[in-house]
Amino acid sequence: MEVRILKKHEQAPMNLLLLADPSRKIVEEYLTRGACYVAETNGDTVGVYVLLPTRPETIELINIAVAEEQHGKGIGKQLVIDAIKKAKDKGCKTMEVGTGNSSIGQLALYQKCGFRISGIDKDFFTRHYAEEIFENGIQCKDMIRLSQDL
Ligand code: COA
């Protein structure tokens, strides 16, 4: 698997990006501000993530997603590790990530990759998303913020 930055003229893999965030409007807005990375195997795009500079020396990992038929094979973890390496190479000192209170697997993945919970953005999803989101039988209401020092 090779991870590379998406070139300016290339289309972002919207089908994958929308797995991580159901709002096309929000995804498109992030793409204008962040750098999109794609993971490819034999020419197929199997994963994606976006790195968004937020504050000095701080970068946020957003929109990480793996093609559904490839879930559970370790690709997501490889992408998080790759994103951490790219952020360090850019000279960043802190990496942040956010996920829903209902995203049990994602919370596990991020903590296994060294992130610790830093805060809760209460009602983030109920304020910013028109549709209700349910995962694992839990309504997604709050954004769990996680971070790690690089
Ligand atoms: N409890 C404990 N650990 C769990 C878990 C659970 N419920 N669900 C996942 N994990 C762990 C796995 O065991 C694995 O850790 P390990 O390598 O130590 O065993 C780790 O989380 C990730 O597994 P991996 O196979 O690398 O993940 P993946 O390739 O399936 O990708 C996502 C993970 C989240 C990127 C993928 O599910 C996805 O694309 N989801 C849709 C988009 C999305 O939700 N993006 C995140 C938005 S915040």
Side-chain angles (χ1 to χ4, degrees), residues 19-20 64-66 71-77 98-99 104-106 108-110 112:
L19 291 176
I64 182 165
V66 171
H71 282 184
K73 296 182 181 174
I75 297 174
K77 201 169 182 181
T99 194
I104 306 298
Q106 290 81 343
L109 166 62
Y110 298 139
K112 284 178 172 182

Side-chain angles (χ1 to χ4, degrees), residues 16-21 46-48 61-68 70-80 97-100 103-110 112-113 125 135-136 143:
L16 289 184
L17 291 161
L18 289 171
L19 291 176
D21 190 322
V46 294
V48 67
L61 171 61
I62 54 172
N63 271 108
I64 182 165
V66 171
E68 274 170 314
Q70 303 285 346
H71 282 184
K73 296 182 181 174
I75 297 174
K77 201 169 182 181
Q78 274 178 261
L79 292 184
V80 176
V97 68
T99 194
S103 300
I104 306 298
Q106 290 81 343
L107 283 166
L109 166 62
Y110 298 139
K112 284 178 172 182
C113 291
F125 292 98
E135 292 173 295
N136 302 302
M143 164 93 75

Side-chain angles (χ1 to χ4, degrees), residues 3-4 28 44 62 75 115 130 142 148:
V3 184
R4 64 172 181 88
E28 282 172 350
D44 291 332
I62 54 172
I75 297 174
F115 288 90
D142 308 318
Q148 72 171 289

Side-chain angles (χ1 to χ4, degrees), residues 21 30 33-37 49-55 57-64 83-84 87 90 92-99 110 115 121 124-125 143-148 150:
D21 190 322
Y30 281 149
R33 294 193 287 133
C36 183
Y37 293 84
Y49 66 80
V50 175
L51 288 181
L52 182 71
T54 49
R55 291 188 298 282
E57 300 189 324
T58 302
I59 205 153
E60 183 166 350
L61 171 61
I62 54 172
N63 271 108
I64 182 165
I84 292 168
K90 284 174 191 277
C92 295
K93 296 280 190 289
T94 306
M95 179 174 260
E96 298 180 332
V97 68
T99 194
Y110 298 139
F115 288 90
D121 194 345
F124 176 89
F125 292 98
M143 164 93 75
I144 310 296
R145 305 287 315 163
L146 301 100
S147 73
Q148 72 171 289
L150 303 176

Side-chain angles (χ1 to χ4, degrees), residues 102 133-140:
S102 51
I133 305 166
F134 279 84
E135 292 173 295
N136 302 302
I138 306 164
Q139 186 175 0
C140 182

